[in-house]
Amino acid sequence: MVHMLTVTLNNGVVMPQLGFGVFQVSNEDTTAAVAEALRAGYRSIDTAAAYFNEAAVGQALAESDIPRDELFVTTKLWNTDQGYDEALRAFDASLEKLGLDQLDLYLIHWPAPARDRYVDSWKALTRLLSEGRVRAIGVSNFWPEHLERVIDATGVVPAVNQIELHPRLQQEELRAFHVKHGIATEAWSPLAQGELLGDPLLAEIAAKHGRTPAQVVLRWHVQLGNVVIPKSVTPSRIAENFALFDFALDAEDLDRIAGLETGERVGPDPASFGNPGNP
Ligand code: NDP
């Protein structure tokens, strides 16, 4: 039995709090990386149509002897597939590449506000949910105004909003909005793509607990209640990032990490990314 914390989504579906991300992992490397993650104990995998590695994720899942109901697979609808019919077709294509009959979580990858298709896309996702083809549906990179629109249009509250979140960009307001509406916060680039791991404060807290800076940052996410999906193609780091459940940060550590906020992003701005021409 793997030691794993979970979050219960707003429709009762249980999701592991710690998962494995495969953004920027080539199709060639993805099967080995996911297999390594499954060996290390991860049961939740986060991919996307736009990562062009869904088939390689599917291969690792098919080759593993872990029962399907112990796995949690997320993929995402890409910007150019937004729209009602387009989203239904894109879902079918993703499911086929993954080699699955049912998906655990399907997300709209970006609101791409200038396309103005995300409400239609959301309606398609609610249909997939009611047909049982996916166990939970959510969004990614949405701001409160985008969340409010999809909720008002359908009455269906996204189970998850997957957003850029790390100690430099702590998203306090958005997290409070999520809590108010029963939306789980999932952190992407939880390590700020490795950029913040050289911070002396993190080194100090890591030394205090006999851990690494990456483990301190990931443990901070866990204690905040975030779902977290670190990526690594390095076996030792894949294992390191999973070893989070036998230590805890104290109130002083949490306060000091709160002081690392700078508002700096490592990824694109949701206001403009995915709008026509970008990309
Ligand atoms: P992360 O914050 O997870 O950082 C990954 C980087 O950190 C890699 O360079 C990795 O190197 C390095 N790293 C990982 N673990 C350690 C460690 N223990 N010590 C030192 N360095 C480490 O970045 P991502 O952008 O990949 O985000 C994680 C996941 O979030 C993605 O894979 C994807 O699934 C999702 N995501 C979603 C987005 C969205 O728009 N919804 C956008 C971006 C990401 P190496 O691999 O060489 O070991």
Side-chain angles (χ1 to χ4, degrees), residues 54-55 58 90-101 133:
E54 289 169 309
F91 177 85
D92 287 343
S94 284
L95 212 57
E96 194 179 333
K97 286 188 184 130
L98 287 162
L100 300 176
D101 300 328
R133 303 196 64 209

Side-chain angles (χ1 to χ4, degrees), residues 120-176:
D120 287 341
S121 304
W122 184 247
K123 287 179 180 162
L125 267 58
T126 66
R127 173 172 161 181
L128 294 166
L129 181 69
S130 65
E131 290 174 349
R133 303 196 64 209
V134 57
R135 297 172 63 227
I137 53 174
V139 295
S140 178
N141 300 302
F142 274 41
W143 286 346
E145 68 207 68
H146 311 128
L147 290 163
E148 271 161 358
R149 256 188 94 195
V150 297
I151 296 167
D152 288 350
T154 62
V156 181
V157 180
V160 168
N161 188 14
Q162 187 185 109
I163 54 172
E164 181 177 344
L165 204 177
H166 42 72
R168 288 188 183 157
L169 185 73
Q170 300 185 18
Q171 303 269 23
E172 204 175 328
E173 268 177 47
L174 194 46
R175 281 194 284 122

Side-chain angles (χ1 to χ4, degrees), residues 67-146:
R68 174 67 185 92
D69 64 1
E70 289 180 22
L71 296 167
F72 192 99
V73 183
T74 301
T75 194
K76 313 186 192 84
L77 173 71
W78 188 236
N79 305 326
T80 48
D81 291 323
Q82 286 225 20
Y84 188 84
D85 293 332
E86 294 88 339
L88 295 177
R89 277 198 294 273
F91 177 85
D92 287 343
S94 284
L95 212 57
E96 194 179 333
K97 286 188 184 130
L98 287 162
L100 300 176
D101 300 328
Q102 188 193 39
L103 189 69
D104 297 288
L105 179 62
Y106 198 40
L107 305 178
I108 300 177
H109 206 146
W110 293 86
R115 285 182 195 272
D116 202 17
R117 312 289 308 267
Y118 64 84
V119 173
D120 287 341
S121 304
W122 184 247
K123 287 179 180 162
L125 267 58
T126 66
R127 173 172 161 181
L128 294 166
L129 181 69
S130 65
E131 290 174 349
R133 303 196 64 209
V134 57
R135 297 172 63 227
I137 53 174
V139 295
S140 178
N141 300 302
F142 274 41
W143 286 346
E145 68 207 68
H146 311 128

Side-chain angles (χ1 to χ4, degrees), residues 20-25 46-47 51 76 107 109-110 140-141 162-163 187-195 197 212 214-215 218 229-234 236-238 240-241 266 268:
F20 184 68
V22 293
F23 177 44
Q24 291 175 321
V25 184
D46 182 85
T47 182
Y51 301 169
K76 313 186 192 84
L107 305 178
H109 206 146
W110 293 86
S140 178
N141 300 302
Q162 187 185 109
I163 54 172
W188 64 252
S189 295
L191 302 170
Q193 298 187 337
E195 280 182 23
L197 297 179
T212 67
Q215 288 173 320
L218 295 171
I229 45 170
K231 168 263 175 187
S232 177
V233 292
T234 313
S236 60
R237 289 174 173 174
I238 292 173
E240 175 186 326
N241 295 348
V266 294

